[in-house]
PDB file of all heavy atoms in Angstrom:
ATOM      1  N   LEU Y  69      11.926  27.668 -27.219  1.00  0.00           N
ATOM      2  CA  LEU Y  69      10.572  27.612 -26.678  1.00  0.00           C
ATOM      3  C   LEU Y  69       9.806  26.416 -27.241  1.00  0.00           C
ATOM      4  O   LEU Y  69       9.875  26.163 -28.469  1.00  0.00           O
ATOM      5  CB  LEU Y  69       9.833  28.900 -27.064  1.00  0.00           C
ATOM      6  CG  LEU Y  69       8.436  29.115 -26.435  1.00  0.00           C
ATOM      7  CD1 LEU Y  69       8.598  29.403 -24.949  1.00  0.00           C
ATOM      8  CD2 LEU Y  69       7.774  30.289 -27.113  1.00  0.00           C
ATOM      9  N   LEU Y 114      -9.273  16.534  -8.906  1.00  0.00           N
ATOM     10  CA  LEU Y 114      -9.854  15.283  -9.316  1.00  0.00           C
ATOM     11  C   LEU Y 114      -9.602  15.050 -10.764  1.00  0.00           C
ATOM     12  O   LEU Y 114      -9.379  15.987 -11.553  1.00  0.00           O
ATOM     13  CB  LEU Y 114     -11.355  15.264  -9.028  1.00  0.00           C
ATOM     14  CG  LEU Y 114     -11.737  15.299  -7.552  1.00  0.00           C
ATOM     15  CD1 LEU Y 114     -13.257  15.495  -7.411  1.00  0.00           C
ATOM     16  CD2 LEU Y 114     -11.342  14.012  -6.822  1.00  0.00           C
ATOM     17  N   THR Y 158      -4.403  18.818 -12.250  1.00  0.00           N
ATOM     18  CA  THR Y 158      -3.154  18.880 -11.567  1.00  0.00           C
ATOM     19  C   THR Y 158      -2.050  19.377 -12.424  1.00  0.00           C
ATOM     20  O   THR Y 158      -1.930  18.971 -13.569  1.00  0.00           O
ATOM     21  CB  THR Y 158      -2.765  17.487 -10.951  1.00  0.00           C
ATOM     22  OG1 THR Y 158      -3.764  17.083 -10.032  1.00  0.00           O
ATOM     23  CG2 THR Y 158      -1.416  17.575 -10.290  1.00  0.00           C
ATOM     24  N   ASN Y 170      17.106   2.584 -15.835  1.00  0.00           N
ATOM     25  CA  ASN Y 170      18.409   3.025 -16.379  1.00  0.00           C
ATOM     26  C   ASN Y 170      18.332   4.442 -16.913  1.00  0.00           C
ATOM     27  O   ASN Y 170      18.483   4.683 -18.073  1.00  0.00           O
ATOM     28  CB  ASN Y 170      18.938   2.068 -17.419  1.00  0.00           C
ATOM     29  CG  ASN Y 170      19.163   0.675 -16.880  1.00  0.00           C
ATOM     30  OD1 ASN Y 170      19.418   0.487 -15.712  1.00  0.00           O
ATOM     31  ND2 ASN Y 170      19.076  -0.333 -17.716  1.00  0.00           N
ATOM     32  N   THR Y 312      17.859   6.044   7.330  1.00  0.00           N
ATOM     33  CA  THR Y 312      19.033   6.595   8.011  1.00  0.00           C
ATOM     34  C   THR Y 312      19.359   8.016   7.517  1.00  0.00           C
ATOM     35  O   THR Y 312      19.511   8.192   6.334  1.00  0.00           O
ATOM     36  CB  THR Y 312      20.251   5.688   7.882  1.00  0.00           C
ATOM     37  OG1 THR Y 312      19.938   4.420   8.388  1.00  0.00           O
ATOM     38  CG2 THR Y 312      21.465   6.297   8.606  1.00  0.00           C
ATOM     39  N   TRP Y 356      24.376  18.462  13.288  1.00  0.00           N
ATOM     40  CA  TRP Y 356      24.778  19.681  13.940  1.00  0.00           C
ATOM     41  C   TRP Y 356      23.866  20.810  13.428  1.00  0.00           C
ATOM     42  O   TRP Y 356      23.762  20.994  12.254  1.00  0.00           O
ATOM     43  CB  TRP Y 356      26.227  20.029  13.623  1.00  0.00           C
ATOM     44  CG  TRP Y 356      26.737  21.197  14.429  1.00  0.00           C
ATOM     45  CD1 TRP Y 356      26.686  22.509  14.047  1.00  0.00           C
ATOM     46  CD2 TRP Y 356      27.389  21.158  15.696  1.00  0.00           C
ATOM     47  NE1 TRP Y 356      27.292  23.294  15.024  1.00  0.00           N
ATOM     48  CE2 TRP Y 356      27.671  22.503  16.050  1.00  0.00           C
ATOM     49  CE3 TRP Y 356      27.748  20.157  16.604  1.00  0.00           C
ATOM     50  CZ2 TRP Y 356      28.316  22.862  17.242  1.00  0.00           C
ATOM     51  CZ3 TRP Y 356      28.372  20.488  17.784  1.00  0.00           C
ATOM     52  CH2 TRP Y 356      28.664  21.835  18.099  1.00  0.00           C
ATOM     53  N   GLY Y 402      12.510   3.966  21.509  1.00  0.00           N
ATOM     54  CA  GLY Y 402      13.811   3.907  20.847  1.00  0.00           C
ATOM     55  C   GLY Y 402      14.924   4.280  21.812  1.00  0.00           C
ATOM     56  O   GLY Y 402      14.774   4.178  23.000  1.00  0.00           O
ATOM     57  N   CYS Y 424      17.729  -0.142  19.757  1.00  0.00           N
ATOM     58  CA  CYS Y 424      18.584   0.372  18.640  1.00  0.00           C
ATOM     59  C   CYS Y 424      20.045   0.350  19.051  1.00  0.00           C
ATOM     60  O   CYS Y 424      20.869   0.979  18.360  1.00  0.00           O
ATOM     61  CB  CYS Y 424      18.176   1.801  18.317  1.00  0.00           C
ATOM     62  SG  CYS Y 424      16.403   2.002  18.015  1.00  0.00           S
TER      63      CYS Y 424
END
Side-chain angles (χ1 to χ4, degrees):
L69 188 70
L114 294 171
T158 297
N170 298 334
T312 300
W356 186 272
C424 309

